[in-house]
Amino acid sequence: MKRIRLSLLLAILLLAGTASAKIKTTKAHAVRTVTTDLKAVNGATNTYANPIIPGFNPDPSICKVGKDYYLVTSSFEYFPGVPVYHSTDLVNWKMIGHVLDRPSQLNLDSAKSSGGIYAPCIRYNKGTFYMVTTLTKGAGDFICTATNPAGPWSEPHFIKDAPGIDPDLFFDDNGKVYMSGTAVPAHKQWSHHNAIWTQEIDLEKWELVGEKKINCDAGDYNSTINPLKAGSVKNISSMEGPHIYKKDSTYYFTCSIGGTGQNHAFIILRSKNVFGPWEMNPNNPILTHRDLPTNHPITATGHADLVQIQNGNWAIVYLGKRAIQDGNLLPRFILGRETFMSTVDWSGEWPIVNTKGLVGRSELVQVKPNLPEAPAVDKSYLMEDFNGVKLHPQWTFLRTPRTEWWSLTDRKGFLRLKLRPEMIHQIANPSLVSKRQEHADFTVTTKMDFKPTGENEEAGIVIINQMNCYLKYTVKLENKDLVLKVSMRDSKTSADSVLAQVPVRKGNLYLKMDVKGLIYSFSYSVNGVKWKSLNQDNDLSDTQFVYGYRFTGPMVGMYASSNGKSSNTYVDFDNFYYTNQ
Ligand code: 6LW
């Protein structure tokens, strides 16, 4: 009762703060009050739904080759790394592979949760695709190349003396190539004061050449950022995600400020020189939600990349977070940072985001870009029967697998996982095969054939936010009895806590997990027809599960472990069906 009262009070305060907050736009666009209306305000019918790539897909970068668009996102401690998506209409996207799909390319052995691979940037030049990113707490920035973005990509070319994160590559029309990244300024003026360095790079020798310059220093522009709300960041904290573009013989520099949360904002500057000095767009930020109520359906919009589409139009891809719409008065963002898209009008001096909707804002429903409609992407891979000989690219591992502990051929039509001592809460590569959770409301079912012989051997379904924040729905052999249990670790505890359990028999068992926002329900069956409920309506609102990730997002999949002991046992999954409600 107390919690409801508190959230009610907070909600009243939040709604009171929903007074229309005006954002400054160019004269060409009437200033409009911001509402939380989710429909494209002009009632257009040719609309699409954001996010364009749902689930854990942050820090998008995009490039265009002919009629094709390719987009990459951050992948952190998950392997393969840096997923590559393809589209021809910017609305329908298909995962076509990963840049880092070989252990030789990506050593994540010591990556902690939200460590590993940070923001990537993809660019195309004269027949070659380039992807540059950062292996944090490791060898730093590196570039891979490919002639086919679906792969294979090259081994990494590590770039010496490339500090910071969020590297960018810019191919100038004079043949020079420049690399940029985040930097610590010579004289920090406030705690999160940082800058962006730029230096020419020789892509034959894979080394930086010439002088490295601080190309954009937040401290030089602090006073011209029009704070969009009282209390907004006084200084341009955390200048990140830089990109340089050239349009009509003018260089444009973009970056995000405010950090990847509520204060995130995307700004653009211009100059006649690739090293500035840069003129600030008077209407910055051109994309932000930092002045909107915290219960707005989308927040944290930023870390953007611009792309020219066709007939002079542009578009922008960026990360954002969706609040789950479960009627709760407090916003909860459980899907991590996803990839959103908006159209951009750059017919004038400066680009303007979403001129066909709420200018400078992201909306869940927006007017489509002016591109030939592409067919909807075949999502049948969500209903996986494991009849192939290779895992679909949606399936990922936690850190780099050093042995093939999984097989699609040992038992045709089944995914076989070997039980190994490694466990989710360790910095290791456990027997875990998972995919991105893409919806707030979804159901997963699996048919599992598991005959454990050793104590503590377990297998089943998991949802993992990070190594100390996960939910397991597994069959486990304990004291010679086989039990089906729901257990979780939510980073507040240092051990798994059991939510429910029931004795079961060895052999085939169907498991079902129904998720509605933060309400989880578990049932099981011996024949896939008659289901018994194990545990209904588990409300995880009061657990770290709500916030249990930093940069990643929830992954759902199949898990097996002998929990620290050696084992010769394995588990066979006949299928894994993910359906959104
Ligand atoms: C990304 C950087 C950031 O590299 O978070 O908060 C990092 N800002 O732009 C990981 O997404």
Side-chain angles (χ1 to χ4, degrees):
M1 197 51 190
K2 187 166 169 284
R3 186 161 61 94
I4 295 174
R5 259 210 311 273
L6 174 67
S7 50
L8 200 55
L9 174 65
L10 203 47
I12 291 164
L13 292 173
L14 284 174
L15 291 172
T18 313
S20 61
K22 291 180 172 45
I23 57 170
K24 197 176 166 197
T25 64
T26 58
K27 293 179 187 56
H29 300 279
V31 175
R32 240 197 316 256
T33 55
V34 172
T35 68
T36 56
D37 173 7
L38 301 185
K39 290 277 168 281
V41 287
N42 62 6
T45 51
N46 58 329
T47 58
Y48 69 95
N50 263 321
I52 52 169
I53 306 179
F56 156 40
N57 280 289
D59 307 321
S61 175
I62 186 169
C63 71
K64 175 178 181 290
V65 182
K67 294 186 169 53
D68 296 301
Y69 296 86
Y70 300 98
L71 186 150
V72 292
T73 61
S74 305
S75 51
F76 301 96
E77 70 266 26
Y78 288 95
F79 183 98
V82 187
V84 183
Y85 297 91
H86 170 258
S87 176
T88 57
D89 65 359
L90 293 180
V91 172
N92 296 290
W93 289 88
K94 178 183 178 186
M95 184 191 278
I96 59 173
H98 290 78
V99 173
L100 309 171
D101 60 5
R102 304 185 299 273
S104 61
Q105 291 173 296
L106 179 55
N107 176 355
L108 291 170
D109 295 352
S110 60
K112 293 184 178 157
S113 295
S114 289
I117 294 294
Y118 272 38
C121 169
I122 187 168
R123 292 294 183 255
Y124 177 81
N125 188 58
K126 295 178 184 163
T128 299
F129 290 87
Y130 299 81
M131 190 286 299
V132 61
T133 187
T134 307
L135 176 58
T136 56
K137 302 267 190 299
D141 287 3
F142 64 88
I143 298 172
C144 292
T145 62
T147 50
N148 177 349
W153 287 76
S154 73
E155 291 298 303
H157 300 284
F158 284 97
I159 308 298
K160 289 196 187 71
D161 189 25
I165 56 174
D166 298 1
D168 173 59
L169 284 179
F170 166 62
F171 292 83
D172 204 342
D173 44 26
N174 60 9
K176 290 191 174 187
V177 187
Y178 297 91
M179 183 170 172
S180 300
T182 61
V184 178
H187 307 291
K188 267 189 127 154
Q189 298 167 37
W190 62 88
S191 61
H192 289 286
H193 172 194
N194 74 324
I196 302 296
W197 64 267
T198 299
Q199 188 172 358
E200 191 178 344
I201 185 167
D202 178 335
L203 293 181
E204 300 293 327
K205 296 179 183 161
W206 303 110
E207 58 187 40
L208 292 165
V209 296
E211 185 190 354
K212 180 190 270 61
K213 296 181 181 176
I214 290 294
N215 195 359
C216 190
D217 183 332
D220 296 342
Y221 301 91
N222 185 31
S223 57
T224 53
I225 279 281
N226 43 348
L228 285 164
K229 69 171 185 174
S232 73
V233 280
K234 176 179 174 296
N235 302 304
I236 317 175
S237 75
S238 311
M239 193 177 253
E240 291 169 325
H243 291 300
I244 296 177
Y245 311 87
K246 195 171 192 178
K247 177 177 183 287
D248 307 331
S249 309
T250 299
Y251 294 94
Y252 289 87
F253 171 86
T254 66
C255 69
S256 285
I257 59 175
T260 194
Q262 169 72 23
N263 277 337
H264 220 182
F266 179 65
I267 63 175
I268 186 166
L269 302 87
R270 69 184 175 190
S271 173
K272 282 302 181 190
N273 184 304
V274 73
F275 287 108
W278 301 98
E279 175 200 352
M280 176 72 70
N281 175 359
N283 293 315
N284 274 334
I286 63 169
L287 171 69
T288 188
H289 281 210
R290 68 181 182 178
D291 59 312
L292 296 178
T294 52
N295 64 343
H296 190 77
I298 305 172
T299 187
T301 51
H303 202 103
D305 202 1
L306 290 160
V307 63
Q308 183 162 15
I309 46 184
Q310 58 184 16
N311 42 58
N313 294 321
W314 286 71
I316 185 170
V317 294
Y318 49 91
L319 72 78
K321 295 199 293 189
R322 283 184 287 169
I324 49 172
Q325 303 302 313
D326 60 355
N328 195 295
L329 295 166
L330 290 175
R332 279 86 57 79
F333 308 96
I334 59 169
L335 286 166
R337 298 170 303 160
E338 307 172 280
T339 288
F340 292 68
M341 184 272 292
S342 295
T343 54
V344 171
D345 174 352
W346 202 341
S347 56
E349 277 189 80
W350 297 98
I352 304 170
V353 175
N354 193 16
T355 50
K356 299 172 189 164
L358 299 178
V359 170
R361 306 304 192 181
S362 174
E363 295 174 85
L364 293 173
V365 177
Q366 293 194 205
V367 176
K368 285 180 181 174
N370 177 21
L371 288 168
E373 179 121 0
V377 171
D378 171 13
K379 291 268 190 176
S380 58
Y381 62 84
L382 294 174
M383 305 300 278
E384 175 70 80
D385 283 306
F386 299 120
N387 291 327
V389 292
K390 199 164 173 272
L391 282 172
H392 183 278
Q394 72 167 334
W395 295 111
T396 66
F397 305 119
L398 187 47
R399 301 182 191 86
T400 308
R402 296 298 179 189
T403 58
E404 287 227 342
W405 40 260
W406 71 94
S407 167
L408 287 169
T409 53
D410 285 1
R411 184 177 176 186
K412 190 91 188 72
F414 288 77
L415 171 63
R416 174 165 293 181
L417 303 187
K418 289 178 185 163
L419 272 76
R420 297 154 60 240
E422 287 80 356
M423 295 171 273
I424 295 177
H425 65 269
Q426 297 174 321
I427 296 185
N429 169 241
S431 295
L432 166 66
V433 180
S434 64
K435 66 170 294 327
R436 288 161 174 78
Q437 176 182 333
E438 301 177 28
H439 307 85
D441 301 346
F442 71 99
T443 298
V444 290
T445 57
T446 189
K447 179 186 173 189
M448 176 172 83
D449 180 3
F450 182 40
K451 302 179 183 70
T453 55
E455 272 305 292
N456 288 332
E457 290 184 342
E458 70 176 318
I461 295 176
V462 293
I463 293 189
I464 170 172
N465 269 321
Q466 60 158 305
M467 56 193 279
N468 285 317
C469 188
Y470 53 76
L471 187 148
K472 293 191 292 189
Y473 185 30
T474 53
V475 172
K476 192 169 184 181
L477 185 65
E478 284 179 347
N479 311 316
K480 299 197 184 348
D481 295 330
L482 211 52
V483 287
L484 171 61
K485 59 167 57 178
V486 179
S487 55
M488 74 175 292
R489 189 178 293 214
D490 72 355
S491 65
K492 281 194 293 195
T493 58
S494 58
D496 294 356
S497 51
V498 179
L499 304 182
Q501 68 178 58
V502 66
V504 288
R505 289 198 315 257
K506 287 190 181 184
N508 284 340
L509 190 65
Y510 294 76
L511 303 182
K512 180 188 289 186
M513 180 161 52
D514 277 302
V515 180
K516 285 186 177 50
L518 281 158
I519 309 294
Y520 293 75
S521 300
F522 304 87
S523 43
Y524 63 102
S525 167
V526 292
N527 56 21
V529 177
K530 194 170 174 314
W531 291 90
K532 290 181 188 167
S533 161
L534 169 55
N535 192 264
Q536 292 301 319
D537 301 335
N538 268 292
D539 185 342
L540 301 189
S541 299
D542 278 344
T543 72
Q544 275 302 309
F545 208 73
V546 186
Y547 313 97
Y549 58 86
R550 188 167 163 239
F551 290 141
T552 55
M555 304 289 278
V556 59
M558 297 145 285
Y559 174 65
S561 179
S562 46
N563 290 299
K565 296 185 169 56
S566 61
S567 166
N568 295 316
T569 308
Y570 53 76
V571 57
D572 290 338
F573 291 93
D574 190 359
N575 53 45
F576 189 91
Y577 297 151
Y578 174 105
T579 51
N580 63 297
Q581 293 148 14

PDB file of all heavy atoms in Angstrom, residues 59 76 118-119 165-166 240 260 303 337 551, ligand 1:
ATOM      1  N   ASP A  59      23.980   2.351 -29.643  1.00  0.00           N
ATOM      2  CA  ASP A  59      25.103   2.991 -30.342  1.00  0.00           C
ATOM      3  C   ASP A  59      25.123   2.666 -31.837  1.00  0.00           C
ATOM      4  O   ASP A  59      26.136   2.268 -32.395  1.00  0.00           O
ATOM      5  CB  ASP A  59      26.442   2.558 -29.731  1.00  0.00           C
ATOM      6  CG  ASP A  59      26.490   2.761 -28.232  1.00  0.00           C
ATOM      7  OD1 ASP A  59      25.961   3.788 -27.762  1.00  0.00           O
ATOM      8  OD2 ASP A  59      27.022   1.881 -27.539  1.00  0.00           O
ATOM      9  N   PHE A  76      29.317  -5.456 -26.544  1.00  0.00           N
ATOM     10  CA  PHE A  76      29.862  -5.615 -25.190  1.00  0.00           C
ATOM     11  C   PHE A  76      30.424  -7.018 -24.961  1.00  0.00           C
ATOM     12  O   PHE A  76      31.300  -7.448 -25.704  1.00  0.00           O
ATOM     13  CB  PHE A  76      28.802  -5.185 -24.167  1.00  0.00           C
ATOM     14  CG  PHE A  76      28.393  -3.770 -24.391  1.00  0.00           C
ATOM     15  CD1 PHE A  76      27.263  -3.461 -25.126  1.00  0.00           C
ATOM     16  CD2 PHE A  76      29.198  -2.732 -23.952  1.00  0.00           C
ATOM     17  CE1 PHE A  76      26.914  -2.150 -25.402  1.00  0.00           C
ATOM     18  CE2 PHE A  76      28.863  -1.415 -24.210  1.00  0.00           C
ATOM     19  CZ  PHE A  76      27.725  -1.123 -24.947  1.00  0.00           C
ATOM     20  N   TYR A 118      32.539  -1.702 -27.237  1.00  0.00           N
ATOM     21  CA  TYR A 118      31.723  -0.493 -27.141  1.00  0.00           C
ATOM     22  C   TYR A 118      31.300  -0.054 -28.547  1.00  0.00           C
ATOM     23  O   TYR A 118      31.251  -0.856 -29.471  1.00  0.00           O
ATOM     24  CB  TYR A 118      32.516   0.605 -26.431  1.00  0.00           C
ATOM     25  CG  TYR A 118      32.396   0.612 -24.919  1.00  0.00           C
ATOM     26  CD1 TYR A 118      32.346  -0.563 -24.188  1.00  0.00           C
ATOM     27  CD2 TYR A 118      32.328   1.813 -24.227  1.00  0.00           C
ATOM     28  CE1 TYR A 118      32.245  -0.546 -22.808  1.00  0.00           C
ATOM     29  CE2 TYR A 118      32.231   1.846 -22.842  1.00  0.00           C
ATOM     30  CZ  TYR A 118      32.183   0.657 -22.150  1.00  0.00           C
ATOM     31  OH  TYR A 118      32.081   0.694 -20.778  1.00  0.00           O
ATOM     32  N   ALA A 119      31.006   1.259 -28.670  1.00  0.00           N
ATOM     33  CA  ALA A 119      30.362   1.763 -29.888  1.00  0.00           C
ATOM     34  C   ALA A 119      31.191   1.520 -31.149  1.00  0.00           C
ATOM     35  O   ALA A 119      32.358   1.862 -31.209  1.00  0.00           O
ATOM     36  CB  ALA A 119      30.095   3.254 -29.728  1.00  0.00           C
ATOM     37  N   ILE A 165      37.035   6.145 -26.429  1.00  0.00           N
ATOM     38  CA  ILE A 165      36.036   5.222 -26.999  1.00  0.00           C
ATOM     39  C   ILE A 165      35.335   5.955 -28.147  1.00  0.00           C
ATOM     40  O   ILE A 165      35.658   7.087 -28.468  1.00  0.00           O
ATOM     41  CB  ILE A 165      34.996   4.799 -25.922  1.00  0.00           C
ATOM     42  CG1 ILE A 165      34.321   6.040 -25.293  1.00  0.00           C
ATOM     43  CG2 ILE A 165      35.640   3.921 -24.853  1.00  0.00           C
ATOM     44  CD1 ILE A 165      33.179   5.701 -24.337  1.00  0.00           C
ATOM     45  N   ASP A 166      34.363   5.257 -28.775  1.00  0.00           N
ATOM     46  CA  ASP A 166      33.488   5.829 -29.804  1.00  0.00           C
ATOM     47  C   ASP A 166      34.278   6.342 -31.006  1.00  0.00           C
ATOM     48  O   ASP A 166      34.111   7.486 -31.448  1.00  0.00           O
ATOM     49  CB  ASP A 166      32.646   6.973 -29.229  1.00  0.00           C
ATOM     50  CG  ASP A 166      31.722   6.508 -28.124  1.00  0.00           C
ATOM     51  OD1 ASP A 166      31.749   5.315 -27.799  1.00  0.00           O
ATOM     52  OD2 ASP A 166      30.983   7.327 -27.563  1.00  0.00           O
ATOM     53  N   GLU A 240      30.429  12.465 -26.604  1.00  0.00           N
ATOM     54  CA  GLU A 240      30.748  11.108 -27.090  1.00  0.00           C
ATOM     55  C   GLU A 240      30.131  10.871 -28.457  1.00  0.00           C
ATOM     56  O   GLU A 240      29.399  11.702 -28.958  1.00  0.00           O
ATOM     57  CB  GLU A 240      30.162  10.085 -26.092  1.00  0.00           C
ATOM     58  CG  GLU A 240      30.854  10.078 -24.758  1.00  0.00           C
ATOM     59  CD  GLU A 240      30.093   9.267 -23.724  1.00  0.00           C
ATOM     60  OE1 GLU A 240      28.861   9.251 -23.743  1.00  0.00           O
ATOM     61  OE2 GLU A 240      30.767   8.649 -22.897  1.00  0.00           O
ATOM     62  N   THR A 260      24.443   8.666 -21.587  1.00  0.00           N
ATOM     63  CA  THR A 260      23.473   7.817 -22.292  1.00  0.00           C
ATOM     64  C   THR A 260      22.222   7.546 -21.452  1.00  0.00           C
ATOM     65  O   THR A 260      21.691   6.448 -21.454  1.00  0.00           O
ATOM     66  CB  THR A 260      24.155   6.513 -22.731  1.00  0.00           C
ATOM     67  OG1 THR A 260      23.349   5.844 -23.668  1.00  0.00           O
ATOM     68  CG2 THR A 260      24.493   5.625 -21.544  1.00  0.00           C
ATOM     69  N   HIS A 303      23.423   9.380 -29.250  1.00  0.00           N
ATOM     70  CA  HIS A 303      24.409   8.519 -29.920  1.00  0.00           C
ATOM     71  C   HIS A 303      23.929   8.206 -31.335  1.00  0.00           C
ATOM     72  O   HIS A 303      23.613   7.080 -31.687  1.00  0.00           O
ATOM     73  CB  HIS A 303      24.675   7.226 -29.176  1.00  0.00           C
ATOM     74  CG  HIS A 303      26.018   6.664 -29.569  1.00  0.00           C
ATOM     75  ND1 HIS A 303      27.137   6.755 -28.779  1.00  0.00           N
ATOM     76  CD2 HIS A 303      26.433   6.069 -30.719  1.00  0.00           C
ATOM     77  CE1 HIS A 303      28.170   6.210 -29.418  1.00  0.00           C
ATOM     78  NE2 HIS A 303      27.779   5.794 -30.592  1.00  0.00           N
ATOM     79  N   ARG A 337      18.933  -0.333 -24.364  1.00  0.00           N
ATOM     80  CA  ARG A 337      18.951   0.750 -25.344  1.00  0.00           C
ATOM     81  C   ARG A 337      18.803   0.148 -26.739  1.00  0.00           C
ATOM     82  O   ARG A 337      19.552  -0.763 -27.088  1.00  0.00           O
ATOM     83  CB  ARG A 337      20.260   1.535 -25.201  1.00  0.00           C
ATOM     84  CG  ARG A 337      20.411   2.191 -23.809  1.00  0.00           C
ATOM     85  CD  ARG A 337      21.806   2.751 -23.590  1.00  0.00           C
ATOM     86  NE  ARG A 337      22.801   1.722 -23.752  1.00  0.00           N
ATOM     87  CZ  ARG A 337      24.090   1.996 -24.005  1.00  0.00           C
ATOM     88  NH1 ARG A 337      24.490   3.241 -24.156  1.00  0.00           N
ATOM     89  NH2 ARG A 337      24.960   1.009 -24.133  1.00  0.00           N
ATOM     90  N   PHE A 551      24.904  -1.217 -19.906  1.00  0.00           N
ATOM     91  CA  PHE A 551      24.885  -0.843 -21.325  1.00  0.00           C
ATOM     92  C   PHE A 551      24.187  -1.885 -22.194  1.00  0.00           C
ATOM     93  O   PHE A 551      23.868  -1.608 -23.338  1.00  0.00           O
ATOM     94  CB  PHE A 551      26.314  -0.666 -21.830  1.00  0.00           C
ATOM     95  CG  PHE A 551      27.013   0.536 -21.282  1.00  0.00           C
ATOM     96  CD1 PHE A 551      28.347   0.480 -20.941  1.00  0.00           C
ATOM     97  CD2 PHE A 551      26.348   1.740 -21.118  1.00  0.00           C
ATOM     98  CE1 PHE A 551      29.011   1.608 -20.455  1.00  0.00           C
ATOM     99  CE2 PHE A 551      26.987   2.866 -20.625  1.00  0.00           C
ATOM    100  CZ  PHE A 551      28.322   2.788 -20.292  1.00  0.00           C
TER     101      PHE A 551
HETATM  102  C1  6LW B   1      29.263   4.290 -25.679  1.00  0.00           C
HETATM  103  C2  6LW B   1      29.254   5.749 -25.333  1.00  0.00           C
HETATM  104  C3  6LW B   1      28.335   5.770 -24.170  1.00  0.00           C
HETATM  105  O1  6LW B   1      30.473   3.868 -26.218  1.00  0.00           O
HETATM  106  O2  6LW B   1      28.140   4.530 -23.673  1.00  0.00           O
HETATM  107  O3  6LW B   1      27.247   6.799 -22.482  1.00  0.00           O
HETATM  108  C4  6LW B   1      29.035   3.648 -24.321  1.00  0.00           C
HETATM  109  N1  6LW B   1      27.836   6.811 -23.692  1.00  0.00           N
HETATM  110  O4  6LW B   1      28.790   6.566 -26.380  1.00  0.00           O
HETATM  111  C5  6LW B   1      28.480   2.286 -24.407  1.00  0.00           C
HETATM  112  O5  6LW B   1      27.219   2.285 -25.036  1.00  0.00           O
END
